[in-house]
Coordinates of all heavy atoms in Angstrom, one line a residue:
K119 N 178.7 71.6 60.8 CA 179.5 72.3 61.9 C 180.7 71.6 62.4 O 181.1 71.7 63.5 CB 178.5 72.7 63.0 CG 177.4 73.6 62.6 CD 176.6 74.1 63.8 CE 175.5 75.0 63.3 NZ 174.6 75.5 64.5
K120 N 181.3 70.8 61.5 CA 182.5 70.1 61.8 C 183.6 70.9 61.2 O 184.3 70.6 60.2 CB 182.5 68.7 61.2 CG 181.4 67.8 61.7 CD 181.5 67.4 63.1 CE 180.5 66.4 63.5 NZ 180.6 66.0 64.9
F121 N 183.9 72.1 61.9 CA 184.8 73.1 61.2 C 186.2 72.7 61.1 O 186.9 73.0 60.1 CB 184.7 74.4 62.0 CG 183.3 74.9 62.1 CD1 182.6 75.1 63.3 CD2 182.6 75.2 60.9 CE1 181.3 75.6 63.4 CE2 181.3 75.7 61.0 CZ 180.6 75.9 62.2
R122 N 186.7 71.9 62.0 CA 188.1 71.4 61.9 C 188.3 70.5 60.8 O 189.3 70.5 60.0 CB 188.6 70.8 63.3 CG 188.6 71.7 64.4 CD 189.3 71.1 65.6 NE 189.1 72.0 66.8 CZ 189.9 73.1 67.0 NH1 190.8 73.4 66.1 NH2 189.7 73.9 68.0
M123 N 187.3 69.6 60.6 CA 187.3 68.7 59.4 C 187.2 69.5 58.1 O 187.8 69.1 57.1 CB 186.2 67.6 59.6 CG 186.5 66.6 60.7 SD 188.0 65.7 60.5 CE 187.7 64.9 58.9
V125 N 188.3 72.5 57.6 CA 189.6 73.1 57.4 C 190.5 72.1 56.7 O 191.3 72.3 55.8 CB 190.3 73.6 58.7 CG1 191.7 74.0 58.5 CG2 189.5 74.8 59.2
R149 N 187.9 78.0 53.5 CA 188.7 77.7 54.6 C 188.7 78.9 55.6 O 188.7 78.7 56.8 CB 190.1 77.3 54.2 CG 191.0 76.8 55.4 CD 192.3 76.2 54.9 NE 193.2 77.2 54.4 CZ 194.5 77.0 54.1 NH1 194.9 75.7 54.2 NH2 195.2 77.9 53.7
S150 N 188.7 80.1 55.1 CA 188.6 81.3 55.9 C 187.3 81.2 56.7 O 187.3 81.6 57.9 CB 188.6 82.5 55.0 OG 188.3 83.7 55.8
A151 N 186.2 80.8 56.1 CA 184.9 80.7 56.9 C 185.1 79.7 58.0 O 184.6 79.9 59.1 CB 183.8 80.3 56.0
A152 N 185.7 78.5 57.7 CA 185.8 77.5 58.8 C 186.7 78.0 59.9 O 186.4 77.8 61.1 CB 186.4 76.2 58.2
Q153 N 187.8 78.7 59.5 CA 188.7 79.2 60.6 C 188.0 80.3 61.4 O 188.2 80.5 62.6 CB 190.0 79.8 59.9 CG 190.8 78.8 59.2 CD 191.7 78.0 60.2 OE1 191.4 77.9 61.4 NE2 192.8 77.5 59.7
F154 N 187.1 81.1 60.7 CA 186.4 82.1 61.4 C 185.5 81.6 62.5 O 185.4 82.1 63.6 CB 185.6 82.9 60.4 CG 184.8 84.1 61.0 CD1 185.4 85.3 61.2 CD2 183.4 83.9 61.4 CE1 184.6 86.3 61.7 CE2 182.7 84.9 61.9 CZ 183.3 86.2 62.1
F155 N 184.8 80.5 62.2 CA 183.9 79.9 63.2 C 184.7 79.2 64.3 O 184.1 78.9 65.4 CB 182.9 78.9 62.5 CG 181.9 79.6 61.7 CD1 181.8 79.4 60.3 CD2 181.0 80.4 62.3 CE1 180.9 80.0 59.5 CE2 180.0 81.0 61.5 CZ 179.9 80.8 60.1
L156 N 185.9 78.9 64.0 CA 186.8 78.3 65.1 C 187.5 79.5 65.9 O 188.3 79.2 66.8 CB 187.9 77.4 64.5 CG 187.4 76.1 63.9 CD1 188.5 75.4 63.1 CD2 186.9 75.2 65.0
K157 N 187.2 80.7 65.5 CA 187.7 81.9 66.1 C 189.2 82.0 65.9 O 189.9 82.7 66.7 CB 187.4 82.0 67.6 CG 185.9 82.0 67.9 CD 185.6 82.2 69.4 CE 184.1 82.3 69.6 NZ 183.7 82.5 71.0
N158 N 189.7 81.4 64.8 CA 191.1 81.6 64.4 C 191.1 82.8 63.4 O 191.3 82.6 62.2 CB 191.6 80.3 63.8 CG 191.7 79.2 64.7 OD1 191.8 79.4 65.9 ND2 191.5 78.0 64.2
Y159 N 191.0 84.0 64.0 CA 190.7 85.2 63.1 C 191.9 85.5 62.3 O 191.8 86.0 61.2 CB 190.3 86.3 64.0 CG 189.0 86.1 64.7 CD1 188.9 86.2 66.1 CD2 187.8 85.7 64.1 CE1 187.8 85.9 66.8 CE2 186.7 85.5 64.7 CZ 186.6 85.6 66.1 OH 185.5 85.3 66.8

Side-chain angles (χ1 to χ4, degrees):
K119 298 184 179 181
K120 304 288 186 180
F121 301 121
R122 296 190 187 280
M123 289 301 299
V125 169
R149 189 170 70 173
S150 172
Q153 296 282 24
F154 181 85
F155 288 115
L156 289 171
K157 298 185 178 181
N158 297 332
Y159 299 122

